[in-house]
Amino acid sequence: MQAADILTKLQTQIGEGCEHISGVGDEFIKVPAAKWHACMHLLHNSLSFDFLRALSGIDYLQQDEIEVVAHLFSYSQRAQVVIKTRIERAAPQLASVQDIWPAANWHEREIFDLLGVNFTDHPDLRRILLPDDWQGFPLRKDYQEPEFYQGIPTRRHKPELSTNNLTESK
């Protein structure tokens, strides 16, 4: 099953707004954020995309958007597809797909933790890598890392390398 075939089925079932993008890098299907969950539900239940390989986020600061990318695989059809959507950076919100693929739970928590995307209807949306009281979202392009967290330096001191250090270690 090719991305163009998948797009046709998506457009038939959930309506216009989906588009097939190819030519630069991997081909993918772009869906409107409002149709994200319906699209994913259809891909899983009707088109047999039973495996969520990855779910990630990308900050596009200049365009004031965050992109969420899903890599899906169908074991029965031996097919794969990449689905992308973009959401507003100022108040990023997207429907959770954890009810479709339970593994999305951890992926969505990581995207929430590092990019600040609020996944609606997620059963346990909280930080997964950083402490609960951490300020900001480290994968956002405008993030400024604090020098200290609760009195502990957040950066390591890097010793300067000199030719003496290199020859002494031999």
Side-chain angles (χ1 to χ4, degrees), residues 135-164:
Q135 298 295 310
F137 306 104
L139 287 185
R140 287 205 179 188
K141 301 248 168 98
D142 58 352
Y143 178 73
Q144 298 292 318
E145 183 180 356
E147 282 194 50
F148 293 92
Y149 168 72
Q150 296 188 358
I152 303 167
T154 60
R155 298 181 185 125
R156 292 184 181 199
H157 172 70
K158 294 182 183 177
E160 290 187 31
L161 287 178
S162 68
T163 55
N164 277 348

Side-chain angles (χ1 to χ4, degrees), residues 16-37:
E16 296 298 316
C18 301
E19 51 182 312
H20 176 227
I21 312 289
S22 64
V24 179
D26 291 333
E27 63 180 345
F28 62 91
I29 296 174
K30 183 177 177 184
V31 301
K35 296 181 179 183
W36 175 255
H37 192 272

Side-chain angles (χ1 to χ4, degrees), residues 65-155:
E65 295 176 315
I66 292 178
E67 185 172 73
V68 177
V69 182
H71 293 260
L72 307 175
F73 186 77
S74 170
Y75 283 104
S76 62
Q77 298 179 51
R78 308 289 296 162
Q80 61 187 357
V81 67
V82 176
I83 307 293
K84 296 183 179 185
T85 193
R86 290 204 177 182
I87 52 179
E88 181 182 310
R89 193 174 184 276
Q93 187 167 311
L94 191 62
S96 174
V97 293
Q98 188 271 333
D99 60 318
I100 301 169
W101 296 282
N105 184 319
W106 297 89
H107 295 275
E108 290 174 351
R109 284 182 59 195
E110 182 177 17
I111 296 167
F112 165 74
D113 194 7
L114 299 176
L115 285 167
V117 175
N118 180 26
F119 288 93
T120 57
D121 296 324
H122 189 283
D124 188 23
L125 194 61
R126 60 188 164 97
R127 291 199 182 265
I128 192 169
L129 299 170
L130 297 168
D132 291 335
D133 61 347
W134 191 267
Q135 298 295 310
F137 306 104
L139 287 185
R140 287 205 179 188
K141 301 248 168 98
D142 58 352
Y143 178 73
Q144 298 292 318
E145 183 180 356
E147 282 194 50
F148 293 92
Y149 168 72
Q150 296 188 358
I152 303 167
T154 60
R155 298 181 185 125

Side-chain angles (χ1 to χ4, degrees), residues 1-71:
M1 182 177 290
Q2 301 297 319
D5 301 325
I6 296 167
L7 175 68
T8 302
K9 291 183 183 190
L10 288 175
Q11 287 176 333
T12 302
Q13 295 288 323
I14 64 171
E16 296 298 316
C18 301
E19 51 182 312
H20 176 227
I21 312 289
S22 64
V24 179
D26 291 333
E27 63 180 345
F28 62 91
I29 296 174
K30 183 177 177 184
V31 301
K35 296 181 179 183
W36 175 255
H37 192 272
C39 171
M40 296 304 199
H41 187 269
L42 179 69
L43 286 165
H44 181 267
N45 293 345
S46 298
L47 300 176
S48 302
F49 283 92
D50 48 357
F51 181 56
L52 174 69
R53 281 187 171 168
L55 188 64
S56 58
I58 304 160
D59 181 16
Y60 288 102
L61 179 63
Q62 283 71 26
Q63 294 149 359
D64 210 28
E65 295 176 315
I66 292 178
E67 185 172 73
V68 177
V69 182
H71 293 260

